[in-house]
Amino acid sequence: MGLLECCEHLFGTSNLYQVLGVEKEASEAEIRRGYYKVSLQVHPDRVPDNEQATEKFQVLGKVYAILSDKEQRAVYDEQGIVDEESDTLRQDRSWDEYWRLLFPKITVDDIKAFEAKYKGSEEEASDVRKSYMDHKGNMDRIMVSVLCCTYEDEPRIREIIEKAIAAGELPAFDAFTNEPEKKKAARKRQANREKREAEKMTKDMGLVDDEDSLKALIQARQKSREQKMDSFLTDLEAKYCKKGGKGRAGKKGKK
């Protein structure tokens, strides 16, 4: 699977700019910041031993590598393709090392500090409004795309959107204003189910709140769920885990 196909599969879009949450006209600094923000969510220090998170982290590194290279970015902008055989995307590249060359060494405490500063900020509100427009009011997609967002944040995210609609800053998409109650209930059931499963597994396995026990829980949990981010375990991982994981690479693709 090529890079663009991987982006479509993992992020719901083959548009490299949308993957990083920036506009096509974004400056180098804006692209770098977009990469930093999005990759924080799937950084190996935050979600160790998580196969899909590792794959996302790897793909994000490739996306940034393309858009930060003037020549390759120009080719992508003009032709909608990426050169999968370029040194930039070579398969043996360590994207974790690439990250650490770009940014200072990051710790779980750094990520948690970012979350504390981000939640409730104007930057978050701006990201929520953008996600609302990108996904035409689809709350399922919005809740997945907004940084540091869990089910418990939904009332706050809704309030941000509702205030923006009332102020005339956003259109009132039907998918949001008339969302079926069964869709809201399905999100709640999913969140509750994941929490119950994790709590039950903790009890059944006799685990305690230490790093080794948490890792055992994570590994067992991964075997019993589909490949997607588990917001409950992600919060636990961010709190207790500090070790990273490994990744995979891809091939050539078209937009």
Side-chain angles (χ1 to χ4, degrees), residues 2-254:
L3 176 60
L4 300 182
E5 288 82 3
C6 284
C7 288
E8 181 69 40
H9 173 66
L10 294 170
F11 299 98
T13 178
S14 61
N15 185 307
L16 301 188
Y17 294 101
Q18 289 183 7
V19 170
L20 298 187
V22 299
E23 301 296 331
K24 184 177 181 180
E25 298 75 19
S27 66
E28 291 181 14
E30 289 171 332
I31 290 174
R32 180 186 175 95
R33 177 162 175 74
Y35 171 49
Y36 179 76
K37 286 173 58 179
V38 179
S39 58
L40 273 179
Q41 290 294 92
V42 290
H43 191 282
D45 282 348
R46 172 170 180 160
V47 279
D49 306 316
N50 184 309
E51 185 176 353
Q52 189 184 46
T54 297
E55 189 173 4
K56 282 186 174 183
F57 182 78
Q58 182 180 13
V59 169
L60 287 170
K62 293 181 178 183
V63 170
Y64 177 72
I66 292 294
L67 296 183
S68 62
D69 183 292
K70 291 183 179 180
E71 292 184 3
Q72 295 202 57
R73 181 179 180 182
V75 171
Y76 173 72
D77 287 347
E78 294 172 8
Q79 303 179 38
I81 62 174
V82 296
D83 182 4
E84 301 283 352
E85 306 303 322
S86 68
D87 289 341
T88 299
L89 300 184
R90 66 180 186 274
Q91 295 190 4
D92 60 348
R93 189 168 194 170
S94 170
W95 296 101
D96 187 34
E97 290 180 7
Y98 179 66
W99 162 281
R100 297 187 188 285
L101 286 174
L102 290 170
F103 307 109
K105 182 172 176 60
I106 187 170
T107 66
V108 173
D109 286 341
D110 292 331
I111 295 175
K112 291 182 69 178
F114 171 83
E115 291 181 0
K117 182 178 179 180
Y118 179 77
K119 287 189 174 183
S121 68
E122 175 53 37
E123 183 177 12
E124 180 194 47
S126 176
D127 288 346
V128 169
R129 292 191 292 268
K130 183 179 185 305
S131 180
Y132 175 83
M133 292 299 296
D134 288 344
H135 301 299
K136 303 295 188 295
N138 184 321
M139 278 300 290
D140 287 343
R141 299 297 298 274
I142 292 170
M143 292 300 293
V144 170
S145 66
V146 174
L147 289 176
C148 311
C149 192
T150 66
Y151 175 75
E152 287 71 20
D153 293 306
E154 182 167 339
R156 186 172 57 81
I157 300 301
R158 280 189 170 278
E159 184 179 3
I160 292 172
I161 295 171
E162 289 167 352
K163 286 183 177 179
I165 292 175
E169 298 172 356
L170 293 176
F173 288 124
D174 186 68
F176 177 80
T177 57
N178 294 310
E179 183 182 33
E181 289 299 320
K182 64 180 182 180
K183 280 196 69 178
K184 297 178 184 178
R187 275 196 303 277
K188 183 176 182 179
R189 286 196 302 272
Q190 176 68 14
N192 289 338
R193 180 165 58 251
E194 290 174 349
K195 185 174 181 178
R196 285 196 304 271
E197 289 173 357
E199 290 174 344
K200 181 178 185 300
M201 199 170 294
T202 301
K203 181 178 179 181
D204 291 347
M205 297 173 67
L207 302 180
V208 294
D209 287 345
D210 61 38
E211 186 171 340
D212 290 338
S213 293
L214 180 62
K215 285 188 175 180
L217 170 59
I218 293 168
Q219 290 167 357
R221 181 76 173 91
Q222 286 173 336
K223 293 178 182 178
S224 65
R225 66 177 173 83
E226 296 179 355
Q227 289 187 332
K228 62 182 178 180
M229 294 296 288
D230 184 315
S231 60
F232 176 69
L233 284 181
T234 296
D235 288 342
L236 293 180
E237 291 162 5
K239 185 174 182 180
Y240 296 114
C241 286
K242 296 185 180 180
K243 296 182 180 179
K246 299 180 180 178
R248 294 197 299 259
K251 299 180 182 177
K252 190 167 186 176
K254 282 193 176 182

